[in-house]
Amino acid sequence: QLQLVESGGGLVQPGGSLRPSCVASGFSLRDEAVSWFRQAPGKEREGVACITGNGRAAYYHHSVLDRFTINRDNAGMVVTLEIVNLQPEDTGIYFCSGSGESFDTCSLDDVDMKYWGKGTLVTVSS
């Protein structure tokens, strides 16, 4: 069964940092375009960051441009989302997703995703 597995969520105070990560189970993430989505309580899921299969380009939702950084390791097997200066509005479930093999494109639109993880909860509260 092809699936993605997220980890690294948690409870953090405003201004803190987290670094959720995503790995694949049953297949390789190498060369796959990977995206992170989040769903805040009572809101629709939104794409926040994506990275191309070759790791050379990343794209972000305008609201997180200066605080979120998506990266993948040299082997392309682990994709992380570094989040700094967390705010209460960042609270939500963060999902890793894959849109298939793509060296130079990625997407923030969930209609383009082929598989999903179950998510990791991020809670920002004092």
Side-chain angles (χ1 to χ4, degrees):
Q1 182 178 1
L2 306 182
Q3 65 178 21
L4 300 174
V5 181
E6 304 94 336
S7 62
L11 173 63
V12 63
Q13 293 185 342
S17 302
L18 282 174
R19 195 170 182 234
S21 63
C22 172
V23 297
S25 175
F27 70 107
S28 171
L29 268 184
R30 191 182 183 93
D31 299 332
E32 298 275 329
V34 176
S35 307
W36 281 94
F37 288 75
R38 70 180 177 189
Q39 187 164 21
K43 295 188 177 181
E44 292 188 355
R45 186 170 56 193
E46 63 178 356
V48 293
C50 71
I51 189 166
T52 58
N54 61 13
R56 293 177 181 176
Y59 302 92
Y60 301 90
H61 190 278
H62 63 85
S63 66
V64 306
L65 264 174
D66 55 346
R67 298 188 298 115
F68 288 29
T69 304
I70 188 171
N71 282 301
R72 60 196 316 156
D73 69 336
N74 288 337
M77 304 296 283
V78 182
V79 176
T80 57
L81 183 68
E82 184 167 0
I83 312 173
V84 300
N85 192 24
L86 277 154
Q87 299 301 314
E89 55 265 33
D90 294 316
T91 293
I93 301 175
Y94 283 70
F95 299 91
C96 176
S97 61
S99 54
E101 185 174 299
S102 178
F103 291 113
D104 57 5
T105 63
C106 66
S107 173
L108 295 179
D109 191 339
D110 57 5
V111 299
D112 295 324
M113 301 301 121
K114 296 183 177 179
Y115 29 82
W116 294 84
K118 295 181 179 180
T120 185
L121 178 62
V122 171
T123 303
V124 185
S125 175
S126 57

